[in-house]
Amino acid sequence: AQRARYLGRLQRLQQVLKAAGYDAPLPGGAFYLWAPAPGGDAWAAARDIATKAGIVVSPGEFYGERSAGFFRVAAVAPDDRIELAARRVGA
């Protein structure tokens, strides 16, 4: 049940990000999405997503040099909060 819950959240967050202008592939086995930041500026992407959708994402630099240029979105918020973000971006 928990695995299905996280998959549903990941898929919905993927739709939210797409509506906000970002592409995030589904992971093979994690509860977060990694998305490339346009121009490699993960901080600008984080600000943009916070403004558009009202969600906080982590710039990849938090997780090491190899993650620079990406941002991470964890699927830990309750479904109703994810739906609020979806409404904000029209997803």
Side-chain angles (χ1 to χ4, degrees):
Q2 188 67 8
R3 197 169 35 229
R5 183 176 299 118
Y6 277 118
L7 178 58
R9 288 177 181 170
L10 287 167
Q11 290 169 332
R12 191 64 174 130
L13 284 167
Q14 185 182 43
Q15 294 168 349
V16 169
L17 291 177
K18 186 160 190 73
Y22 299 92
D23 184 37
L26 287 175
F31 62 91
Y32 45 82
L33 301 172
W34 280 102
D41 190 347
W43 289 93
R47 283 188 298 275
D48 183 54
I49 294 166
T51 301
K52 288 178 180 175
I55 59 176
V56 176
V57 303
S58 302
E61 289 89 339
F62 286 0
Y63 306 98
E65 194 173 306
R66 293 184 61 202
S67 300
F70 292 83
F71 60 89
R72 187 176 103 158
V73 184
V76 295
D79 294 337
D80 63 329
R81 300 299 293 176
I82 294 172
E83 287 307 315
L84 176 59
R87 286 192 304 274
R88 289 176 175 159
V89 297

